Amino acid sequence: MNEVLVLHAALSGIASVQAVTRLLEALPYAYRLAIGRRDEDARLASLAGIALLLEAVRWTRGEPPDLRSLRAPAGGKPMLESGPPFSIAHCAARVAVAIGERGELGLDVEDLGSGGRTLREIECWTATEAALKAMGAGLRELRAVRLDDDLRGARFGATRLHLRPVTLADGCVACLA
């Protein structure tokens, strides 16, 4: 797996009203509309992910990307026209972004919570979602993902994916594909 930078933050109190407004204004119109259709929590989580993306690109390339180049093709994964490849994930408590210079990435993060699911189930779910995101696939293609027993790899059709658990914070499980 090539070098990947993962940034993350707690969602509580992450953005001021002014910062959110400025970020929304900088987004392409279609992207702004898509975010505007989400409920408030999902909208703020998406904007927090974009803010982390800006910071990650600034760290790796020395300057933030032009947000006008941010695209979210219908049924596809978000991308920056000039790169780098990235993946944004959030759960109720955290938001995270992974960026690298080569290859597609998929990142998923889930709260451990008290929903009765075992740690193994949550690890399998984050690995599956990370693989789907790396492939630019949606949940409708869930059955196409075949996880290795040790959760270090997966197959999506003929494509082999490397998986890596990512430690972000207590109370959450994350996986990078």
Side-chain angles (χ1 to χ4, degrees):
M1 185 177 285
N2 61 326
E3 289 191 26
V4 175
L5 173 65
V6 177
L7 298 180
H8 63 98
L11 271 174
S12 59
I14 196 165
S16 69
V17 173
Q18 295 85 7
V20 167
T21 302
R22 280 193 308 273
L23 192 52
L24 270 172
E25 290 171 353
L27 292 173
Y29 181 72
Y31 210 96
R32 194 173 29 214
L33 284 178
I35 287 177
R37 291 186 196 108
R38 299 176 184 159
D39 67 53
E40 185 177 351
D41 288 342
R43 185 171 45 254
L44 290 174
S46 293
L47 291 169
I50 292 168
L52 281 178
L53 173 63
L54 291 173
E55 189 62 27
V57 174
R58 183 180 296 119
W59 281 13
T60 59
R61 293 195 169 174
E63 60 185 18
D66 180 352
L67 281 182
R68 293 174 294 183
S69 74
L70 186 60
R71 301 287 179 260
K77 67 188 284 188
M79 60 174 278
L80 288 165
E81 288 178 345
S82 60
F86 69 90
S87 183
I88 296 173
H90 62 83
C91 57
R94 301 203 75 70
V95 61
V97 64
I99 69 167
E101 287 298 328
R102 297 182 318 201
E104 291 301 326
L105 300 170
L107 178 68
D108 189 49
V109 59
E110 298 288 336
D111 293 310
L112 282 174
S114 58
R117 295 186 300 171
T118 67
L119 176 60
R120 176 69 179 185
E121 286 173 299
I122 296 171
E123 289 171 337
C124 288
W125 180 253
T126 58
T128 300
E129 275 217 63
L132 287 169
K133 286 181 171 186
M135 296 302 299
L139 290 176
R140 282 179 240 153
E141 297 179 77
L142 183 67
R143 295 183 189 275
V145 177
R146 298 284 177 244
L147 299 174
D148 293 351
D149 289 340
D150 64 2
L151 302 181
R152 297 291 179 173
R155 287 210 175 277
F156 185 90
T159 303
R160 177 86 177 131
L161 298 141
H162 298 282
L163 302 173
R164 178 172 294 157
V166 180
T167 303
L168 299 180
D170 289 339
C172 72
V173 174
C175 185
L176 175 67

